[in-house]
Amino acid sequence: GENVEQHPSTLSVQEGDSAVIKCTYSDSASNYFPWYKQELGKGPQLIIDIRSNVGEKKDQRIAVTLNKTAKHFSLHITETQPEDSAVYFCAAPDAPSYDKVIFGPGTSLSVIP
Amino acid sequence: DAGVTQSPTHLIKTRGQHVTLRCSPISGHKSVSWYQQVLGQGPQFIFQYYEKEERGRGNFPDRFSARQFPNYSSELNVNALLLGDSALYLCASSPTGSAGGYTFGSGTRLTVV
């Protein structure tokens, strides 16, 4: 089955700086890569996703890049704000049906005012 | 529109007992997936149901079972509770059985003592 690794496990940045979280996956047939944000006491919330037919996708301050050859994808947050502080999870679909996702271990992001 | 609703939000059970967790998906969503999230880890896939049929099962013992009702709501049952079952149980709904478009509820925090 799919194996998703995520780095770093914790990340602290100054407000206004950029944050980058990287994930690798093992199944070259995976074709959908979502990112979730989880705030304390809440369930994960989908913030952006990318499919394998594109290399980059942006949504305001958030972007995701995908390198299918190297089997890794990254989340980029620019101009970080204190409300970006949360745990972020990457995920990838799992064989054989690819209709469920396997989550990475998570990155705890702290944005320091 | 209401999001994914889960009940109860918290509960405490004793080892050996049985528990039933409930989930109501977003109106119009036909797929429900259950995930277990142990503190400090990413969510782990337990079950997926689509149109009342089990579509996938994760690496969990037979003590875990689930079902989906005609109105697409779902129950997760866990028998013979162990201390290690203490976790946040998350329900996610999606319009179809595909991995894209997951919306998570806020979860049920289960503590086994």
Side-chain angles (χ1 to χ4, degrees):
Chain A
E2 180 67 275
N3 182 45
V4 179
E5 297 184 354
Q6 184 173 348
H7 300 280
S9 57
T10 60
L11 179 60
S12 290
V13 299
Q14 291 291 133
E15 182 177 358
D17 287 350
S18 295
V20 180
I21 303 170
K22 299 180 179 180
C23 283
T24 61
Y25 61 98
S26 59
D27 186 349
S28 58
S30 289
N31 60 1
Y32 170 72
F33 306 94
W35 284 92
Y36 288 86
K37 174 184 181 182
Q38 187 174 28
E39 297 174 313
L40 202 60
K42 297 184 179 180
Q45 177 190 8
L46 179 68
I47 56 172
I48 195 167
D49 56 17
I50 191 168
R51 296 196 180 270
S52 59
N53 56 345
V54 297
E56 183 175 5
K57 182 178 179 180
K58 288 184 179 180
D59 183 4
Q60 300 182 351
R61 297 185 297 109
I62 294 174
V64 56
T65 58
L66 172 64
N67 183 328
K68 280 200 61 88
T69 302
K71 292 190 284 186
H72 67 72
F73 56 112
S74 299
L75 177 70
H76 304 255
I77 306 174
T78 59
E79 301 172 19
T80 54
Q81 301 168 4
E83 52 265 38
D84 294 329
S85 297
V87 180
Y88 291 81
F89 294 97
C90 60
D94 192 33
S97 59
Y98 298 96
D99 55 9
K100 64 180 185 290
V101 291
I102 302 300
F103 285 81
T107 296
S108 178
L109 173 64
S110 298
V111 179
I112 305 165
Chain B
D1 283 343
V4 178
T5 57
Q6 293 187 243
S7 63
T9 55
H10 299 82
L11 76 165
I12 301 174
K13 291 286 189 177
T14 304
R15 278 176 298 176
Q17 285 188 316
H18 163 270
V19 68
T20 298
L21 311 180
R22 295 177 174 85
C23 172
S24 293
I26 291 173
S27 178
H29 284 195
K30 298 180 178 180
S31 178
V32 169
S33 297
W34 287 95
Y35 283 79
Q36 180 196 65
Q37 187 176 25
V38 173
L39 197 62
Q41 297 182 16
Q44 300 291 316
F45 173 76
I46 310 175
F47 285 109
Q48 185 194 45
Y49 278 78
Y50 176 67
E51 288 280 18
K52 301 175 286 294
E53 298 281 331
E54 183 182 303
R55 284 278 292 265
R57 183 185 185 112
N59 188 24
F60 281 79
D62 291 343
R63 299 185 295 108
F64 289 76
S65 64
R67 55 180 175 168
Q68 187 177 33
F69 298 99
N71 66 353
Y72 302 111
S73 67
S74 179
E75 284 183 354
L76 175 70
N77 294 282
V78 187
N79 293 323
L81 285 167
L82 304 174
L83 296 179
D85 295 331
S86 296
L88 179 68
Y89 288 85
L90 294 161
C91 172
S93 79
S94 65
T96 66
S98 66
Y102 271 10
T103 301
F104 280 89
S106 293
T108 294
R109 172 71 62 187
L110 171 64
T111 302
V112 183
V113 298

